Amino acid sequence: LLYCRNVYIVCLAPLQRQARNKSTFTFLLTSSWCILTNYTPTTKLFIDGKFVESNTSEWLDIHNPATNEVVGRVPKATDLEMLAAVDSCSRAFQSWSETSILSRQQIFLRYQQLIKDNIKELAKLITLEQGKTLADAEGDVFRGLQVVEHACSITSLMLGETLPSITKDMDTYTYRLPIGVCAGIAPFNFPAMIPLWMFPIGMVCGNTYLMKPSERVPGCAMLLAKLLQDAGAPDGTLNVIHGQHAAVNFICDHPAIKAISFVGSNQAGEYIYERGSKNGKRVQSNMGAKNHGVVMPDANKENTLNQLVGAAFGAAGQRCMALSTAIFVGESRDWLPELVERSKTLRVNAGDQPGADVGPLISPEAKQRVEFLIQSGVDEGAQLLLDGRNVNVKGYENGNFVGPTILSKVTPDMKCYREEIFGPVLVILEADTLDEAISLINKNQYGNGTAIFTTNGATARKYTHEVDVGQIGVNVPIPVPLPMFSFTGSRGSFRGDTNFYGKQGIQFYTQIKTVTSQWKAEDATVTSPAVTMPTMGR
Ligand code: NAD
């Protein structure tokens, strides 16, 4: 409780929730304790290997999206604290970058086991602060864990290249080397997975890391930091700060920081890309999305409708790879009534309640925005086939819930199509041909993900070759690549040159040194000095 608010949250929050449903006594006991001690748990900073309370006067409340109760507070770190964090990273870099790759690998091998051992606790923290269902929260941790597991193969991933005998007795080889202090700025929607896209890959390459989790969901990142410390990461190799714009500006401007990984909205991502790049840093910026699912009339109807429902409404649509838009081609449009019926069966509830399929949105503002965009669709002529506004979740009347919503007869000029909704809303367009569907998608500003549902290989091949989107699923609704590949959003969904994780992730976090050496067979005795430019044997 003294070093980390997670202990409090993990132990007491379930009690409080249970109390609301079952035992007034327990609830009173817990509440009285909090009132008597006047205690709202605070999120610590993680600086130089210590979990420390911030000295700031500026704090932000963290809410449980299912109830809007305050479950903690997060500081806006002061300038001094942020400087201390980056100085700690800089100091640690001297020894960490020289630590053998096998030792770094061992730490991450222990780390992946600790994440596995604590997956349930990590998931509980995600559900408490982010709202998604416990099962989905475990999936969030699991997909991050896969990146950590991948980081453990660093001994192969960081291999350089060699070309022997480019001329007589001369060889050229490259090393991949760390670049220095790196930083990560994360969004709210994947509190485990996205931080785990960032610091494990950066650190295993020999960099030290400054992490800024989303100020709305910092709890899981703090537990991940604690587990990394337990795995043996030396003090200062990972520092965690909290805050909003000032923390982001600090990261973009501090000269010791060499690279920034960002995931979040376009508004923040474009800004961070511009500001960080202007300051000479590498920046990779994964941003917003409008992912289209194309339904061909020859698709397997049963699979397609189920996958569409799951991908549109799972995580309350708060996934950058959610299928938020469907294009029904030809007669497949006759399946719409069945799609609506299946969507109605999803249970909207608090994420920790048994059987919950769709949890709450992150904040009342997010709910208001989603409802506004639904109404804008209606006002502009779309047909509301299923309306999730005014959904009543018993016992959680103050939560930010919106039920599955389907808007059909949507056209590309409508606001609900142009903007990323980031809620459980599926907008449906219709097309007569595959070409028409492809043309629609290629005109959309985003290029994050897409899926086609078909049983025809030729249709699938044509689609995958002609659609201008980074990640494509063929009968796979959310094609987030496993970490031996990279996350390859493109166009308006990405700024930068090298993507997250996979080979590209290693490239992002390393620089290359090229050595050309000549060791003459005749014992390196130079008979006379060469005064002309070496021509490499030509
Ligand atoms: P967000 O942009 O509001 O916040 C992300 C981070 O940026 C946070 O740490 C926040 O503190 C900071 N931030 C917010 N506004 C800022 C500003 N104006 N200037 C500087 N920094 C700012 O994003 P979010 O709401 O947390 O996450 C949802 C968004 O993230 C959606 O648009 C979603 O599509 C996107 N996302 C993209 C991917 C991807 O891989 N493409 C993955 C997950 C989420």
Side-chain angles (χ1 to χ4, degrees), residues 184-190 193-194 197 212-217 243-249 252 262-269 271-272 285-291 317-321 362 420 422 446 448 471 487 489 493-494 500:
I185 302 169
F188 80 85
N189 66 328
F190 281 100
M193 179 182 83
I194 290 178
W197 285 2
K212 193 204 88 62
S214 167
E215 65 279 13
R216 295 190 267 188
V217 294
Q244 292 175 306
H245 300 74
V248 166
N249 287 343
C252 291
F262 169 83
V263 179
S265 65
N266 280 63
Q267 193 194 9
Y271 172 79
I272 290 165
S285 176
N286 269 10
M287 302 178 293
K290 199 83 185 171
N291 307 313
Q318 297 178 122
R319 288 181 184 139
C320 64
M321 288 291 277
I362 186 69
E420 182 185 34
F422 223 54
Y446 295 109
N448 205 40
Q471 299 164 111
F487 190 100
S493 298
F494 180 70
F500 279 78

Side-chain angles (χ1 to χ4, degrees), residues 8-223:
Y8 166 82
I9 289 174
V10 170
C11 301
L12 293 188
L15 269 184
Q16 267 181 310
R17 279 194 300 275
Q18 203 181 30
R20 189 178 29 254
N21 301 337
K22 293 186 192 140
S23 158
T24 317
F25 176 72
T26 324
F27 176 68
L28 283 176
L29 199 69
T30 320
S31 314
S32 322
W33 184 81
C34 287
I35 292 163
L36 279 174
T37 54
N38 195 21
Y39 187 72
T40 306
T42 52
T43 310
K44 306 292 183 259
L45 302 165
F46 184 48
I47 299 181
D48 213 29
K50 292 175 195 66
F51 290 89
V52 292
E53 182 88 17
S54 174
N55 289 319
T56 189
S57 54
E58 291 184 87
W59 293 84
L60 301 162
D61 287 339
I62 305 165
H63 295 93
N64 176 349
T67 60
N68 275 312
E69 288 163 351
V70 175
V71 293
R73 292 191 308 155
V74 64
K76 290 189 186 178
T78 64
D79 285 350
L80 276 180
E81 288 161 348
M82 294 192 285
L83 281 169
V86 84
D87 285 350
S88 166
C89 284
S90 296
R91 281 194 307 277
F93 180 71
Q94 307 302 325
S95 50
W96 181 244
S97 56
E98 294 295 323
T99 302
S100 80
I101 197 164
L102 293 177
S103 303
R104 298 203 301 261
Q105 182 190 39
Q106 284 303 315
I107 290 172
F108 281 91
L109 281 164
R110 287 196 289 275
Y111 190 41
Q112 58 83 29
Q113 187 59 48
L114 286 177
I115 294 175
K116 271 183 203 144
D117 295 345
N118 288 278
I119 199 161
K120 296 242 179 271
E121 297 315 309
L122 290 160
K124 275 185 210 160
L125 284 169
I126 293 174
T127 299
L128 179 73
E129 294 182 345
Q130 201 275 352
K132 64 177 73 174
T133 65
L134 280 170
D136 200 33
E138 281 191 34
D140 185 335
V141 183
F142 188 75
R143 292 308 300 262
L145 170 65
Q146 290 177 322
V147 180
V148 180
E149 289 170 342
H150 185 63
C152 295
S153 26
I154 190 62
T155 40
S156 305
L157 295 171
M158 240 176 117
L159 287 174
E161 295 172 332
T162 54
L163 194 57
S165 302
I166 51 170
T167 186
K168 189 166 181 320
D169 300 330
M170 189 180 279
D171 311 311
T172 297
Y173 49 94
T174 61
Y175 298 130
R176 282 202 170 276
L177 296 168
I179 49 181
V181 180
C182 301
I185 302 169
F188 80 85
N189 66 328
F190 281 100
M193 179 182 83
I194 290 178
L196 290 174
W197 285 2
M198 297 174 173
F199 67 82
I201 299 287
M203 287 176 64
V204 81
C205 289
N207 303 289
T208 52
Y209 215 93
L210 181 66
M211 188 70 218
K212 193 204 88 62
S214 167
E215 65 279 13
R216 295 190 267 188
V217 294
C220 179
M222 295 315 290
L223 186 49

